[in-house]
């Protein structure tokens, strides 16, 4: 790890994300508060694959965003035992160390090829680790010259998923990644997670049973006494 002139720390390779006593509350439509996380603690260690499950979308989304430092919370989040507030988070970190599929962007005249170039993940069929996802790669190749408005929601999600995985980050975070995928691509993604040949820390939020069963550890938010189930 390195410290910059502001005193913030840049970690070269993240292999552990720990959360301790996380509390998080969301407002209901009537304005009343609802606690969705109540003292949640867990260690995500790499290499390893984890699937976060639960009936409440608010719980899963809150935990995901708290892990990434996108929401403030009572409690503690550390990366390699470094408190998240002391870390140097920026574009470099989220492009190279921690990767989520990119957020949708409005670019009506851009093609899929242009978008992948913009994300610094130009389409290249010989990414060695993408050989595990041939159906996804083939589908993206067929979309390269289409403009973004021509894509369906499922096609656009596949483009974002391919971009995220192709970066080969130390931490890969996937939020409901099988949405919009066909059966073959879902099976390939489950195999990618199960094999974890790149020895990544993979954290998934999903209700897809096939993908959940591919993970080494299930982190359930439904029952505080049964939060972790190792495979």
């Amino acid at each position: 790890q390195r410290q910059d002139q502001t005193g913030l720390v840049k970690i070269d390779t993240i292999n552990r994300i720990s959360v301790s006593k996380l509390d998080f509350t969301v407002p209901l439509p009537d304005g009343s508060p609802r606690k969705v996380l109540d003292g949640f603690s867990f260690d995500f260690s790499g290499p390893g694959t984890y699937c976060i499950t639960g009936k409440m979308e608010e719980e899963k989304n809150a935990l995901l965003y708290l892990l990434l430092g996108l929401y403030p919370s009572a409690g503690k989040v550390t990366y390699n035992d470094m408190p998240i507030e002391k870390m140097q988070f920026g574009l470099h970190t989220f492009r190279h160390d921690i990767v989520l599929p990119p957020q949708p962007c409005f670019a009506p005249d851009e093609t899929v090829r242009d978008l992948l170039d913009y994300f610094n993940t130009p389409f290249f069929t010989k990414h060695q680790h993408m050989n595990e996802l041939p159906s996804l790669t083939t589908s993206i190749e067929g979309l390269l010259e289409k403009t973004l408005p021509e894509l369906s929601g499922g096609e656009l999600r596949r483009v974002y998923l391919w971009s995220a995985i192709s970066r080969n980050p130390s931490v890969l975070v996937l939020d409901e990644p099988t949405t919009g995928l066909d059966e073959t691509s879902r099976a390939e993604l489950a195999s990618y997670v199960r094999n974890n040949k790149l020895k990544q820390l993979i954290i998934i939020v999903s209700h897809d049973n096939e993908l959940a069963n591919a993970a080494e550890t299930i982190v359930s938010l439904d029952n505080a006494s049964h939060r972790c189930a190792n495979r």
Side-chain angles (χ1 to χ4, degrees), residues 19-228:
V19 298
S20 177
K21 299 180 180 179
L22 290 185
D23 291 329
F24 195 75
T25 301
V26 297
L28 294 175
D30 62 5
S32 61
R34 180 171 68 187
K35 181 167 284 191
V36 295
L37 289 175
D38 187 6
F40 182 81
S41 299
F42 196 78
D43 287 336
F44 298 88
S45 298
T49 56
Y50 300 82
C51 186
I52 300 169
T53 65
K55 295 178 182 178
M56 291 176 56
E57 290 300 318
E58 295 94 339
E59 283 184 321
K60 294 183 290 185
N61 291 338
L63 177 57
L64 191 64
Y65 294 139
L66 291 169
L67 278 175
L68 300 171
L70 301 179
Y71 287 172
S73 166
K76 187 177 182 181
V77 179
T78 63
Y79 284 65
N80 294 5
D81 299 320
M82 176 65 62
I84 196 170
E85 60 269 18
K86 293 185 178 180
M87 287 190 57
Q88 181 191 57
F89 275 93
L91 197 56
H92 172 84
T93 298
F94 282 98
R95 281 191 171 183
H96 297 281
D97 303 324
I98 306 172
V99 168
L100 303 89
Q103 293 299 308
C105 61
F106 181 72
D109 298 324
E110 299 296 315
T111 65
V112 169
R113 188 186 300 277
D114 295 331
L115 184 67
L116 291 174
D117 288 343
Y118 173 75
F119 289 143
N120 198 29
T121 55
F123 184 80
F124 181 55
T125 58
K126 295 184 179 179
H127 288 290
Q128 185 174 0
H129 63 287
M130 299 304 286
N131 291 341
E132 295 183 76
L133 302 164
S135 178
L136 179 61
T137 298
T138 298
S139 69
I140 300 305
E141 188 171 19
L143 298 173
L144 289 175
E145 306 311 324
K146 284 192 173 184
T147 61
L148 300 190
E150 294 179 282
L151 302 183
S152 68
E155 288 172 334
L156 193 56
R157 286 183 66 89
R158 289 201 294 272
V159 172
Y160 293 148
L161 179 62
W162 189 93
S163 176
I165 295 175
S166 71
R167 292 185 188 277
N168 184 18
S170 58
V171 181
L172 178 64
V173 180
L174 300 175
D175 186 5
E176 299 292 356
T178 58
T179 301
L181 295 187
D182 58 34
E183 184 177 350
T184 300
S185 296
R186 290 200 304 271
E188 289 175 359
L189 182 59
S191 177
Y192 180 91
V193 171
R194 183 180 298 107
N195 295 332
N196 194 16
K197 291 182 178 179
L198 301 180
K199 306 302 181 185
Q200 295 169 294
L201 172 53
I202 302 177
I203 301 173
I204 305 163
V205 171
S206 182
H207 64 274
D208 185 300
N209 289 333
E210 184 177 13
L211 191 58
N213 289 333
E216 295 172 314
T217 303
I218 299 295
V219 183
S220 174
L221 301 181
D222 288 334
N223 188 331
S225 62
H226 297 89
R227 281 180 174 158
C228 177

